[in-house]
Amino acid sequence: MEIVLATGNLHKVKEIKDILKGLDLKILTLQDFPKMPDIVEDGKTFEENAVKKAKEIARLTGKIALSDDSGIEAEALNNAPGVYSARFAGEKASGSANNKKLIGLLKGIPLARRKARFVCVIAIAEPGGRIYTAEGELKGIIALRPAGKRGFGYDPLFIVPRYKKTVAQLSAGVKNSISHRSKALKKAKGILKQFLK
C-alpha cells in the first residue's frame, strides 16, 4: 500500500519512517510530487491543521496521506506558541530563532513555573474523504538555555523530567519511544494496520 507523508520537513520524515517500520507500506514524500502546492496551515488547533494537510494531499495525489501537526505549549505563556510553533519568531524562522524568542519570553521565570508539553496530532486521509486522527503528548519543562545536539525544533529546550535531559540530549531510540510524535504515530500505526488487512 502506498502512503504519502504530507510534510516537507526531512527530520519528521525520518522519524515517521522509523516508527512505521515493519508495516507493508511504500512510503512516499512530497519530494515524489514536486508540483505540489504549499498548503496554508491556518487552523486554530493542531487537529485542524493536520486534517487540512492530509485531506488536501490525499485529494491532490489520489493516495492515502498522513500528516502531522505538532508544537510546544508553554503553561506560563497561556499555551503559546501552540499552532504557531514553527513560525513563532516569523514566517520562515529557524529553530534557533524560535528557541531564542521562547527563552526571551520566559526570562526570569523559575524552572518550577516553566511547565510545557509537546503535542502532536496525526491525521490520515483517504482520497474518498474518510479521516482518522491520533494524538500524543510529552510533558516536560522548558530549560533556561539550549542543551544537546540531536533532534530539531524546540528539542534543545525541552527537558524530560524522567531523564533530567533535554530531548536533544537523548538518543534517537529513546526519543522515538517517548516523544509526542511517536505516541501519536503508534496509534496511527494501529489505524494503518486495519487498512492493510
Side-chain angles (χ1 to χ4, degrees), residues 38-97:
D38 278 342
I39 291 152
V40 180
E41 294 179 38
D42 51 6
K44 298 278 183 284
T45 64
F46 294 115
E47 184 168 339
E48 280 177 24
N49 282 335
V51 165
K52 182 179 181 183
K53 283 187 284 190
K55 271 170 88 168
E56 276 296 286
I57 297 300
R59 184 180 68 79
L60 292 165
T61 62
K63 300 180 187 299
I64 292 168
L66 181 149
S67 77
D68 110 305
D69 196 42
S70 50
I72 191 169
E73 295 179 341
E75 235 176 64
L77 301 176
N78 294 320
N79 294 334
V83 291
Y84 303 104
S85 293
R87 51 191 187 277
F88 194 37
E91 208 47 58
K92 299 278 183 203
S94 65
S96 59

Side-chain angles (χ1 to χ4, degrees), residues 27 33 59 68 73 91 102 113 140 148 153 158 161 163-164 177 181:
I27 297 176
F33 302 92
R59 184 180 68 79
D68 110 305
E73 295 179 341
E91 208 47 58
L102 187 57
R113 290 191 31 236
F158 194 91
Y163 293 95
K164 295 185 174 59
S177 68
R181 189 168 294 108

Side-chain angles (χ1 to χ4, degrees), residues 93-163:
S94 65
S96 59
N98 287 330
N99 283 338
K100 204 170 169 183
K101 180 171 180 180
L102 187 57
I103 289 172
L105 291 172
L106 291 172
K107 197 173 179 194
I109 295 175
L111 273 179
R113 290 191 31 236
R114 295 166 80 104
K115 287 185 182 143
R117 69 178 194 139
F118 268 141
V119 184
C120 173
V121 175
I122 298 283
I124 299 166
E126 293 183 276
R130 274 200 300 187
I131 303 280
Y132 309 82
T133 60
E135 186 172 330
E137 71 165 20
L138 177 64
K139 292 185 173 175
I141 294 159
I142 294 170
L144 299 171
R145 64 193 65 82
K149 298 274 180 245
R150 297 189 181 103
F152 60 98
Y154 295 92
D155 289 354
L157 280 186
F158 194 91
I159 298 168
V160 183
R162 185 171 136 203
Y163 293 95

Side-chain angles (χ1 to χ4, degrees), residues 167-186:
V167 176
Q169 291 173 307
L170 299 173
S171 70
V174 171
K175 180 183 175 179
N176 285 351
S177 68
I178 64 162
S179 79
H180 53 308
R181 189 168 294 108
S182 74
K183 288 174 186 171
L185 277 167
K186 280 166 192 161

